[in-house]
Amino acid sequence: MLTMPRNDLLLFLGFAIAVLTMPIWMAPFGAAYPDLLQRFMIYGLFALGFNILFGLTGYLSFGHAAFFGVGSYAAVWSMKLLTIDALPAMIFALIISGIFALAIGYVSLRRSGIYFSILTLAFAQMSYNLAYSVLTPITNGETGLQLNINDPRYLDRMFSAATPSVPSPTMLGLPLTGFTGFYFCAGFLIIAFFIAQRITGSPFGMMLKGIKSNQTRMNYTGFNTRPYTLAAFVISGMYAGLAGSLLAITDPLAGAERMQWTASGEVVLMTILGGAGTLVGPVIGAWLIKYFENIFSAINENMLARFWDFLPDGLDHAAVVVSAKFVGEGWFLTLGLVFVLIVVFLPGGIMEGVRRIASWIDRNRKSTPKSASPKTQPAE
Amino acid sequence: MFEVIFLQFLNGLDKGAAYALIALGLTLVFGTLGVVNFAHGALFMLGAFCAVLFRQLITLETVTLDPTKLSPWGSPLEIREPLVQAWFGDFGAVLLNYSVLFSILLTIPVMLVVGIALERGIIKHFYKRPHAEQILVTFGLAIVAQELIKSFFGPNPIPQPMPTDLRGAADIGAFLGMQANVITYPIWRLIYFLFAAVIIGGVFAFLQFTTFGMVVRAGMADRETVGLLGINIDKRFTIMFGLAAVVAGMAGVMYTPLLPPNYHIGMDFLVLSFVVVVVGGMGSLPGAVAAGFLLGILQSFASMTQVKDLIPGIDQIIIYLVAVVILLVRPRGLLGRRGVMEA
C-alpha cells in the first residue's frame, strides 16, 4: 500500500472513510438503517466488479446476474451443508462463481461486440430457465433456496449439538445482524475497491484499457488478448459471486429471479449511471439507484398532495396525478427516463458530469482553456 | 408417428411466425440504420396495447336504469348498451366481435408515428455512436415504454377475446385427406401464421418491386454512394424504421388473443428475437424469417414429452443453445452476408 501513488492512496482512504461513516452521513437522507446500507454495499460491489469487465475492456455483458445468482446459491448451500459461518460460504461462492465465469467466459469471449452481449445473455437466460425448471432439486425452483431446521451442517455438528431453531449466519460466532452486518459488507466492499484500484493501475489494467481502445491493434502488436479478457471476465464474475453470497448471508434466501436478464440490466444501468470506466462511479450509481428505489417507491399520493399543497386548487390535483406516475410503483419509469437522458447527454455518467463541472470551475479560475480528458471508445 | 411430428411442426408455426415478424423488423432497422434496437420488443408490446386500447374504446357503455324492472337483488335493472352498438347498430356488433382485426386500423398509424418519432427524436443521434451505446439507449427507451404502459394499463395481463367465428380448431388432417380428428389446429393460430406470411411477403415485395424499395436496398448496400447520387436516403431510412415499428405492432396486435398482453410481453419476445436475428445472420432479411420459423419449430419439438424425457429441461434452453452453437461455429449466422458484423 505504501507503494501506491499519492492520489490513489487519497482516493482509497477517502472511499474507505466515506463508506465506514455512511451510517452517520446517510442519516439526514433517511437511509441510515442497516438493511438498506447493506444493499448499498452489496450492489456497489456488484457494480464495481461489472465495471472491471465493461469499464476496462469495453465488453458489454448482459448476463452478469447469472454469477450473482450462482454466488447466492453456492453460499446458501454452504450454509446448509457445511456450517452457518459466513466465511466458508463466501469462499465457496467465490470458487463456484469463478468456475462458472471461466466456463461461460471461455465460450463467450470468442466473439466481441453485440455477439458477446448476446452470448452472455443466452447463457444467463439458460441458467435462469434451468434454475426454474429442471434444476429444482438444487435451486428449489420458484420458492427459492432457504435455510432449514433439518439441514445437515456437517461442520457445525462436529463441534456442537443441533440448535433448536433455524440459525442465522454468523462470522466466527459473531451474529451478522444490524450494523455488524453492514460493517461486515462494508469491509468487503473496501477490500474489493482496493483490489479493483490495484487492477486498474497495474500493467494488466493498462492492457485491458488497451483492448477497449483498439483490440485489433493490440493483436497486431503481438499480444494475445484472449487470456486478458478472460481473466477480467472471471474476476468480474467472482465479484458478482461475492456480492451474491453477501446478499445470501444477510438474507438467507436465494431465488432464481436474481439471475433473470432484468437483473443483469440493472447492474448495467448502475454502472452507466455512475460512469463506466471510473472506479467510484459504478459504486455511486449503485447507491443512487438503490437509494431512489427505496425512497421513490415509498412515496404515496398523500405525501405528494402535501408536497404540491402550495399550488392553487385544481392545479395541485393535476400535479399530484402526474407526479404519482413517477413514484411508488412507477419509479422505474423515472429510472428509465434518467437513464435515457444520461446516455444521450452524458455518456460518461455522473463522474463525467463531475469532471465537466470541475474543469469548468478550473477554467473560470485560471481563465485558460484546458483540454478535456481523452475519451476512450469501447471495443467493437 | 407422422401425425405427431406434423402436429408439432404446426405448433411451432405460430410462435415461429411471431419470432419471424419481430426479427424481420429488427433486421430492417439494423440493415438500414445500422442500429441495434433493444426497444423493438417494446414496439411489439405497444402494438398489442393498441388492440387493448381499441377494445376499451369500443366497449364504452351507456348505463341506463330501468325502474320498471328489478334485478334479482331488488335494485332497478341496469341496461348496459355499448356505444358502438347504439351508433352503428348491427355493424357495431360486428365491430365488437372482430375488434382484434379492426384494431389493426388503429395500430398502423399509431405505430408509424411512434416509430418515426422515436427515430427522429432519439435514435438519429446514435448512428455514429458505438453499438454498446445504441443498446443502452434503446434499452432505456424500452424500460420507459413498458413502464408507461404499466402505469396506464396496470401490471396484469389483459385477455383479449378472439372473434367467435374463429374460435375452436380446424381439422387440418381431414382437410389433407388423412384420418379425421387426429391433426386439429386452433383456427386463430392458423390465421396468425397466414397473416405473418402475408406481412412478410408484403415487406419483401415492397423492397423488391417498388422504386422506394430499390432505393432502400441500394442504401443498405452502400449508403454513402446513394447519398452522393442526390437521394435523401436518411428520410427513406426513417420511413423504414416506421415500417419496422408497424410490422412489430401488427405482430403484437394479432398475438393478443393467443397470449393476454402485459407490460413486459415485449421484453420476453425481444430476447428471443435477438437470438433469432443472430442465428439468421445480422442484416439478412430472409435469414431472419427462416431462423424465426426454424427456432419456433425446434422449440415446439423440444417440448414434446418424448424429447423432454430424453434430455430433461431441453425445452427451456433449446433456442439459446442453438444460438450459442451457431454463433461459435458460424458467426455470421445462417444466411448472413460475409463481412456484415462478423466478429
Side-chain angles (χ1 to χ4, degrees):
Chain A
M1 201 196 250
L2 291 174
T3 59
M4 278 168 91
R6 196 168 140 266
N7 277 348
D8 281 8
L9 191 65
L10 282 179
L11 179 67
F12 173 69
L13 288 178
F15 181 79
I17 291 168
V19 166
L20 290 176
T21 55
M22 256 185 141
I24 301 169
W25 61 267
M26 279 313 265
F29 300 101
Y33 51 98
D35 192 44
L36 182 63
L37 289 177
Q38 269 168 11
R39 263 181 291 149
F40 281 3
M41 299 301 111
I42 290 164
Y43 284 95
L45 188 58
F46 190 15
L48 196 62
F50 182 76
N51 182 55
I52 291 180
L53 181 69
F54 177 59
L56 293 186
T57 68
Y59 277 83
L60 175 59
S61 161
F62 245 92
H64 244 56
F67 308 123
F68 193 77
V70 165
S72 289
Y73 283 127
V76 176
W77 269 112
S78 158
M79 287 190 282
K80 279 169 93 76
L81 289 180
L82 296 174
T83 163
I84 196 68
D85 200 273
L87 292 178
M90 295 172 71
I91 295 168
F92 190 57
L94 270 179
I95 295 172
I96 297 286
S97 58
I99 294 172
F100 202 64
L102 186 69
I104 291 184
Y106 182 77
V107 178
S108 305
L109 284 166
R110 288 166 178 272
R111 301 280 166 259
S112 61
I114 167 109
Y115 291 114
F116 172 78
S117 303
I118 288 183
L119 275 174
T120 46
L121 182 60
F123 278 117
Q125 283 297 95
M126 274 197 249
S127 323
Y128 166 71
N129 286 349
L130 287 180
Y132 248 118
S133 56
V134 197
L135 296 181
T136 305
I138 302 177
T139 62
N140 206 10
E142 248 175 276
T143 333
L145 194 63
Q146 39 194 308
L147 297 181
N148 196 307
I149 188 94
N150 297 322
D151 290 334
R153 267 192 279 281
Y154 294 111
L155 274 178
D156 282 359
R157 289 291 180 284
M158 281 197 276
F159 300 109
S160 61
T163 43
S165 61
V166 180
S168 63
T170 58
M171 187 190 66
L172 307 176
L174 191 69
L176 293 173
T177 48
F179 277 103
T180 328
F182 162 69
Y183 282 113
F184 177 73
C185 298
F188 281 100
L189 179 66
I190 291 171
I191 296 171
F193 184 81
F194 179 69
I195 296 172
Q197 203 179 18
R198 295 326 303 260
I199 289 176
T200 316
S202 67
F204 170 69
M206 299 308 281
M207 199 77 86
L208 297 182
K209 285 180 203 158
I211 291 169
K212 180 176 180 175
S213 304
N214 196 332
Q215 183 162 18
T216 324
R217 198 175 294 166
M218 291 289 284
N219 280 326
Y220 285 164
T221 324
F223 289 110
N224 184 4
T225 52
R226 186 82 55 78
Y228 292 96
T229 45
L230 185 58
F233 192 88
V234 172
I235 291 170
S236 94
M238 286 167 84
Y239 267 72
L242 185 69
S245 74
L246 281 178
L247 192 60
I249 286 164
T250 51
D251 176 21
L253 173 80
E257 72 285 344
R258 273 180 206 172
M259 302 167 95
Q260 210 185 357
W261 78 282
T262 43
S264 303
E266 199 183 11
V267 72
V268 178
L269 294 185
M270 291 170 179
T271 310
I272 304 288
L273 190 69
T278 60
L279 270 171
V280 203
V283 183
I284 292 180
W287 291 351
L288 278 178
I289 287 188
K290 284 293 151 192
Y291 176 74
F292 283 112
E293 180 181 78
N294 212 51
I295 301 297
F296 269 48
S297 40
I299 297 178
N300 55 31
E301 297 219 347
N302 290 335
M303 296 161 80
L304 285 176
R306 244 175 294 143
F307 181 76
W308 293 113
D309 212 21
F310 65 91
L311 288 175
D313 280 355
L315 206 60
D316 67 338
H317 183 67
V320 168
V321 170
V322 171
S323 54
K325 296 278 181 212
F326 293 91
V327 295
E329 292 272 293
W331 102 271
F332 237 83
L333 178 60
T334 320
L335 178 63
L337 282 174
V338 170
F339 180 69
V340 170
L341 292 179
I342 289 266
V343 178
V344 172
F345 295 109
L346 209 63
I350 290 172
M351 290 311 280
E352 190 183 306
V354 170
R355 207 159 42 230
R356 277 189 199 173
I357 292 171
S359 73
W360 182 74
I361 292 171
D362 217 35
R363 204 164 44 220
N364 275 14
R365 200 189 297 151
K366 291 181 194 163
S367 71
T368 45
K370 199 178 154 194
S371 63
S373 59
K375 213 177 122 205
T376 45
Q377 297 288 325
E380 280 298 307
Chain B
M1 193 61 207
F2 172 75
E3 285 87 1
V4 179
I5 292 177
F6 187 62
L7 193 62
Q8 289 303 328
F9 176 77
L10 283 178
N11 278 337
L13 281 185
D14 63 310
K15 207 149 211 190
Y19 294 157
L21 279 180
I22 303 177
L24 182 73
L26 269 176
T27 310
L28 268 183
V29 171
F30 180 76
T32 52
L33 302 168
V35 169
V36 181
N37 184 13
F38 260 51
H40 203 73
L43 296 173
F44 178 85
M45 184 253 327
L46 286 180
F49 275 89
C50 281
V52 174
L53 180 70
F54 185 74
R55 178 140 192 106
Q56 282 185 356
L57 286 180
I58 62 169
T59 47
L60 288 176
E61 296 168 320
T62 51
V63 181
T64 43
L65 293 179
D66 187 351
T68 57
K69 291 178 200 154
L70 289 182
S71 69
W73 42 89
S75 56
L77 191 68
E78 286 181 355
I79 300 174
R80 291 173 176 275
E81 197 176 18
L83 276 176
V84 277
Q85 222 146 343
W87 292 345
F88 300 114
D90 285 346
F91 177 70
V94 176
L95 196 65
L96 264 184
N97 191 8
Y98 285 93
S99 70
V100 177
L101 294 178
F102 282 106
S103 57
I104 289 181
L105 296 178
L106 173 74
T107 310
I108 292 176
V110 168
M111 293 312 290
L112 200 62
V113 169
V114 167
I116 289 177
L118 207 59
E119 201 273 340
R120 285 290 91 183
I122 292 185
I123 292 176
K124 180 177 80 172
H125 305 290
F126 279 80
Y127 296 150
K128 294 273 152 51
R129 301 241 206 135
H131 281 303
E133 283 184 20
Q134 296 173 353
I135 293 178
L136 293 172
V137 76
T138 48
F139 178 62
L141 287 174
I143 292 179
V144 171
Q146 101 182 23
E147 291 302 315
L148 275 178
I149 289 296
K150 185 175 146 194
S151 73
F152 284 105
F153 291 90
N156 296 323
I158 304 168
Q160 298 293 305
M162 40 180 107
T164 39
D165 301 340
L166 301 178
R167 285 175 202 169
D171 199 338
I172 293 185
F175 182 71
L176 293 176
M178 283 182 278
Q179 204 183 338
N181 288 327
V182 178
I183 300 172
T184 55
Y185 194 61
I187 297 177
W188 188 262
R189 288 174 184 249
L190 204 61
I191 289 180
Y192 193 83
F193 169 68
L194 293 176
F195 168 80
V198 168
I199 297 279
I200 292 168
V203 169
F204 275 93
F206 177 69
L207 285 177
Q208 209 66 36
F209 301 124
T210 61
T211 319
F212 188 97
M214 191 181 70
V215 174
V216 167
R217 273 185 299 134
M220 284 165 88
D222 189 340
R223 180 183 189 146
E224 282 191 0
T225 311
V226 176
L228 286 174
L229 290 174
I231 294 170
N232 188 351
I233 191 72
D234 287 358
K235 194 170 139 199
R236 284 158 207 257
F237 280 178
T238 308
I239 294 174
M240 288 313 285
F241 192 95
L243 186 71
V246 170
V247 170
M250 288 201 286
V253 169
M254 293 296 278
Y255 213 72
T256 49
L258 295 178
L259 186 70
N262 57 4
Y263 67 100
H264 57 72
I265 184 176
M267 286 289 185
D268 301 345
F269 268 92
L270 175 83
V271 177
L272 289 172
S273 314
F274 253 102
V275 169
V276 169
V277 170
V278 168
V279 168
M282 274 302 215
S284 158
L285 293 174
V289 174
F293 282 109
L294 183 74
L295 289 179
I297 291 165
L298 264 181
Q299 197 180 25
S300 152
F301 276 110
S303 42
M304 283 167 70
T305 349
Q306 293 95 321
V307 180
K308 270 201 281 194
D309 289 345
L310 206 63
I311 318 169
I314 186 74
D315 56 321
Q316 302 285 333
I317 59 168
I318 177 80
I319 287 193
Y320 301 110
L321 212 56
V322 171
V324 168
V325 171
I326 295 262
L327 271 181
L328 293 177
V329 181
R330 196 181 156 83
R332 64 188 145 109
L334 290 176
L335 297 174
R337 264 181 299 153
R338 186 177 289 277
V340 178
M341 288 282 288
E342 213 174 333

